[in-house]
Amino acid sequence: MKFTIKAKLVLGFGIVVALTGATAFMGLRSLSTINDQAGAMVAGPVERLNQSQNIRLAIFDVVRSEKNMILVDDDAEIERYIVNSGRARVDVTQRITALRDSASPERRKNWESLLGHWQEFQAVHAKIEDLAKQNSNVRAYQISSTRAREGWSSAPSRSCCGWSARKKILSLNQTMPSLRH
């Protein structure tokens, strides 16, 4: 049986349309897989990085409040900075604890170490608050610029976020006279 030109054209275009459809189907399936992987990336490591950056910002708030309470003389302002600092310290503790609890076992010890250094910092910070309440600004500044820095500079060389905790905290203290699974 002979194929007419019309039959050959219909068969040829039919094959091209079928191949185009199969290619489109495979492409959509691949895009769906890429979308799922990108979603997992945003929900996992990117979110943890965002949380680590939020911890850093909350630490900035604590240090800023500490420096401000040292600089002011008005008791009401000192108390306002103490309240702000207290809220920020609770926020940092909650964020570090949440990331520690969701960390893998090998990273959990790093978060626990960071939490320990944070608690040491809070003890020094409490002394600074007491001195600020007494308007002993010179002594509070000495503690803030020496003992508080020393406590943080002894942080482990690798934090939970794969960053150097020492560099992170020292840069924080230097900019204000004031983590990745």
Side-chain angles (χ1 to χ4, degrees):
M1 175 164 132
K2 287 187 166 185
F3 282 112
T4 63
I5 293 178
K6 180 181 178 180
K8 290 179 184 178
L9 284 174
V10 169
L11 181 64
F13 281 120
I15 291 172
V16 168
V17 167
L19 289 174
T20 303
T23 304
F25 174 74
M26 290 172 51
L28 287 174
R29 208 170 74 184
S30 295
L31 283 175
S32 174
T33 302
I34 290 172
N35 186 40
D36 293 343
Q37 290 172 349
M41 182 175 64
V42 168
V46 172
E47 180 59 30
R48 288 188 298 268
L49 178 61
N50 187 30
Q51 290 297 325
S52 295
Q53 289 173 340
N54 288 338
I55 289 171
R56 183 173 182 224
L57 292 174
I59 290 172
F60 277 140
D61 288 342
V62 171
V63 173
R64 184 179 308 116
S65 291
E66 176 182 291
K67 297 308 172 187
N68 287 336
M69 78 176 78
I70 291 170
L71 294 173
V72 298
D73 292 329
D74 183 35
D75 289 340
E77 283 189 67
I78 290 172
E79 195 59 40
R80 184 172 56 95
Y81 288 125
I82 288 173
V83 169
N84 289 344
S85 174
R87 277 191 296 238
R89 283 183 301 162
V90 168
D91 186 40
V92 170
T93 303
Q94 288 174 344
R95 289 176 187 272
I96 291 174
T97 303
L99 285 172
R100 180 199 62 191
D101 293 345
S102 68
S104 62
E106 61 271 1
R107 294 292 185 183
R108 183 177 301 251
K109 63 182 176 182
N110 293 333
W111 283 109
E112 287 175 359
S113 175
L114 183 62
L115 189 58
H117 287 287
W118 175 245
Q119 289 167 345
E120 290 174 19
F121 174 82
Q122 289 188 75
V124 173
H125 184 77
K127 291 177 185 174
I128 293 169
E129 283 181 357
D130 289 339
L131 290 170
K133 285 179 186 177
Q134 299 168 12
N135 276 329
S136 181
N137 298 347
V138 174
R139 182 72 180 123
Y141 179 75
Q142 286 173 343
I143 291 174
S144 174
S145 61
T146 57
R147 287 182 53 198
R149 284 189 192 181
E150 290 167 8
W152 275 109
S153 65
S154 67
S157 61
R158 286 186 60 90
S159 75
C160 328
C161 304
W163 299 329
S164 168
R166 178 174 292 137
K167 287 180 186 175
K168 189 169 156 185
I169 300 306
L170 285 177
S171 69
L172 187 149
N173 279 325
Q174 289 170 356
T175 57
M176 299 180 155
S178 55
L179 289 155
R180 182 163 122 176
H181 276 273

